């Protein structure tokens, strides 16, 4: 009995003893001066859209075909792709629905180019010609389209992130 008590006593004392946390000084392995030297132009807070590189892309004006309950609905012809659409959100609950009629390609590529890189905007959903919805996505979208017909791109606020929703942006569709 005494031997077992002598064996158990140090184990009990050791297991009940709380370890005092040591204050560790955590440092990042990347030095700030190196980080700023290695950033890309696309990492900057104010992303400038270079329209010169989009000369072959047709530009659509920002006059909406229809505005209904905060949704801006634009209808474009799939035969006119690639194109660039300039738009502006003035309210935090707005959405842009791009209806692409006569889409005949097997895949769709699109990207959102906000004037302010802090803008909280993304592709919320895509509706394929077979009636199926998919999403959410980010600012870049590459999607296989199962058959010819009308494709919808629904663009709006990212509910999982913070940032400004109002502002100017462009949507490039290829």
């Amino acid at each position: 009995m005494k031997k077992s008590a002598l064996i158990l006593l140090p184990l009990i004392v050791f297991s009940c003893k709380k370890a005092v946390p040591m204050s560790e000084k955590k440092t990042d392995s990347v030095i700030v001066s190196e980080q700023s030297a290695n950033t890309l132009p696309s990492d900057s807070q104010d992303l400038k859209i270079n329209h010169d590189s989009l000369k072959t892309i047709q530009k659509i004006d920002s006059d909406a075909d229809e505005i209904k309950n905060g949704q801006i609905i634009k209808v474009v012809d799939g035969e006119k792709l690639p194109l660039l659409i300039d738009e502006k959100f003035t309210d935090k609950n707005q959405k842009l629905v791009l209806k692409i009629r006569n889409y005949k390609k097997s895949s769709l590529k699109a990207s959102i180019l906000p004037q302010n890189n802090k803008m909280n905007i993304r592709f919320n959903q895509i509706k394929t010609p077979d009636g199926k919805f998919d999403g959410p996505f980010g600012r870049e979208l590459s999607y296989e389209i199962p058959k010819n017909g009308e494709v919808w791109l629904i663009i709006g606020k990212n509910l999982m992130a913070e940032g400004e929703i109002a502002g100017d942006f462009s949507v490039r569709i290829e």
Side-chain angles (χ1 to χ4, degrees), residues 12 21-22 26-28 30 34 39 54 59 64 77 83 94 102 106 109 136 145 150 154 162 173:
I12 293 171
M22 296 179 65
K26 293 184 178 182
T27 58
D28 196 0
V30 179
E34 289 179 16
T39 57
L54 305 174
K59 200 168 187 176
D77 188 8
L83 55 87
Q94 278 187 297
N102 303 321
S106 62
K109 289 185 181 181
I145 306 298
E150 186 174 79
I154 303 169
E162 293 181 0
I173 305 170

Side-chain angles (χ1 to χ4, degrees), residues 25-135:
K25 184 177 179 181
K26 293 184 178 182
T27 58
D28 196 0
S29 62
V30 179
I31 299 171
V32 176
S33 62
E34 289 179 16
Q35 188 176 14
S36 63
N38 292 331
T39 57
L40 298 173
S42 63
D43 293 339
S44 67
Q45 295 298 329
D46 296 319
L47 181 66
K48 302 292 183 202
I49 299 172
N50 185 2
H51 291 289
D52 292 340
S53 64
L54 305 174
K55 287 183 180 175
T56 60
I57 296 178
Q58 180 181 355
K59 200 168 187 176
I60 303 291
D61 62 359
S62 64
D63 295 332
D65 293 341
E66 187 177 348
I67 298 177
K68 196 189 291 187
N69 297 330
Q71 284 189 346
I72 303 167
I73 301 171
K74 288 187 151 308
V75 180
V76 296
D77 188 8
E79 299 289 325
K80 296 181 179 179
L81 296 179
L83 55 87
L84 182 71
I85 299 170
D86 290 329
E87 195 53 64
K88 181 177 187 172
F89 281 165
T90 57
D91 183 19
K92 65 179 180 177
N93 295 320
Q94 278 187 297
K95 288 186 178 181
L96 172 64
V97 179
L98 294 173
K99 296 182 179 181
I100 307 168
R101 295 202 172 132
N102 303 321
Y103 194 80
K104 297 179 181 175
K105 296 180 181 178
S106 62
S107 65
L108 176 109
K109 289 185 181 181
S111 56
I112 299 171
L113 308 165
Q115 293 274 334
N116 178 2
N117 205 26
K118 292 181 183 179
M119 190 171 183
N120 180 9
I121 189 170
R122 71 171 177 187
F123 288 103
N124 286 341
Q125 287 185 314
I126 185 172
K127 179 184 175 193
T128 56
D130 56 359
K132 294 182 181 176
F133 284 87
D134 195 5

Side-chain angles (χ1 to χ4, degrees), residues 133-159:
F133 284 87
D134 195 5
F137 304 97
R139 289 186 183 170
E140 301 285 325
L141 174 67
S142 180
Y143 202 84
E144 296 297 318
I145 306 298
K147 66 178 190 176
N148 297 346
E150 186 174 79
V151 176
W152 292 12
L153 296 176
I154 303 169
I155 300 167
K157 176 169 81 170
N158 182 353
L159 298 175

